[in-house]
Amino acid sequence: METTVQNPAKSTTTNKNQYQVSIDLLNDAIGREIATTLQYMYFHARFEDARYRHLSRIMREVAIAEMRHTEEFSDRIFFLEGDVNMNAAFQSRQMSDTAEMLQFAMQLEQSTINFYNEASRIAAEHKDAVTHKMFQDIIAEEENHLDTFRTELQNLHDYGENYLALQSVAGSKHAAKELHEIREKKEDEE
């Protein structure tokens, strides 16, 4: 039996992953998702501090959705035998004006939608149907986030400070109710 040994000098094989383009796109998406999560958690904390319960809850829920996107993209990268880069694409901005925060959130969502549309197209060109579809599916979620922020900004424009005052009163009522329940429980224990 004859065994053939290839000359390593003639071998032109490289260790490049055939899905490297998708891996790079997914890592870019992760950087955006992490940065956006941190920004929305900052907004959540600001709104919570101001007792704007409704806006605070929205920001928290959207931040959690963005974390789920990070997880989904990470899972896909590992499946493609790549490695995940868990670094934020940008640093969080500090701001206190509610309208400014909502406008910035809208800009972040629109930018993400634009990027994911392009990433979806590129993934399809590189014959990665699953990553292509993943970006498309997440675009739909990002569009819902954008729509929510638009609605809240419109409510703020339509109702002005009354809109925020109503949220603050609702937050105060909730906090007062919780405090009352804690006091009752403490009295019952004594």
Side-chain angles (χ1 to χ4, degrees), residues 88-105:
F90 60 88
Q91 194 168 20
S92 296
R93 293 187 191 173
Q94 294 179 323
M95 51 185 79
S96 58
D97 181 73
T98 302
E100 184 183 359
M101 287 188 262
L102 291 169
Q103 288 168 340
F104 187 59

Side-chain angles (χ1 to χ4, degrees), residues 26-188:
L26 291 162
N27 268 319
D28 286 347
I30 285 173
R32 289 170 176 269
E33 295 290 343
I34 291 170
T36 303
T37 297
L38 294 172
Q39 187 67 60
Y40 293 166
M41 286 307 294
Y42 171 78
F43 290 163
H44 159 68
R46 291 291 293 191
F47 290 146
E48 184 73 20
D49 184 61
R51 297 217 185 268
Y52 301 157
R53 281 187 72 208
H54 177 66
L55 290 174
S56 175
R57 190 184 82 244
I58 288 171
M59 286 300 173
R60 182 179 180 277
E61 288 173 1
V62 174
I64 289 169
E66 304 296 4
M67 286 189 287
R68 269 194 334 273
H69 298 164
T70 299
E71 182 178 28
E72 291 173 33
F73 290 143
S74 297
D75 289 346
R76 181 69 182 152
I77 290 171
F78 287 132
F79 176 80
L80 297 175
E81 299 181 338
D83 201 3
V84 175
N85 181 351
M86 288 281 183
N87 292 305
F90 60 88
Q91 194 168 20
S92 296
R93 293 187 191 173
Q94 294 179 323
M95 51 185 79
S96 58
D97 181 73
T98 302
E100 184 183 359
M101 287 188 262
L102 291 169
Q103 288 168 340
F104 187 59
M106 288 171 50
Q107 290 171 0
L108 290 175
E109 293 301 319
Q110 188 61 62
S111 172
T112 299
I113 291 165
N114 294 344
F115 176 78
Y116 291 176
N117 271 310
E118 184 64 12
S120 176
R121 183 190 65 73
I122 293 168
E125 282 179 4
H126 285 85
K127 298 178 180 29
D128 183 358
V130 173
T131 301
H132 164 72
K133 184 176 181 328
M134 178 180 277
F135 278 119
Q136 289 182 330
D137 291 344
I138 292 178
I139 288 168
E141 288 184 48
E142 302 294 357
E143 286 179 347
N144 285 335
H145 301 163
L146 176 60
D147 187 53
T148 298
F149 296 145
R150 280 182 185 158
T151 299
E152 293 308 315
L153 185 60
Q154 189 61 50
N155 287 340
L156 186 59
H157 287 310
D158 290 349
Y159 306 113
E161 292 300 314
N162 291 334
Y163 183 66
L164 297 176
L166 288 172
Q167 290 188 45
S168 184
V169 167
S172 294
K173 283 183 182 179
H174 180 74
K177 182 181 175 186
E178 285 179 352
L179 183 59
H180 179 73
E181 289 171 358
I182 290 169
R183 284 182 182 159
E184 282 183 346
K185 185 178 179 180
K186 193 173 185 179
E187 286 173 5
D188 290 343

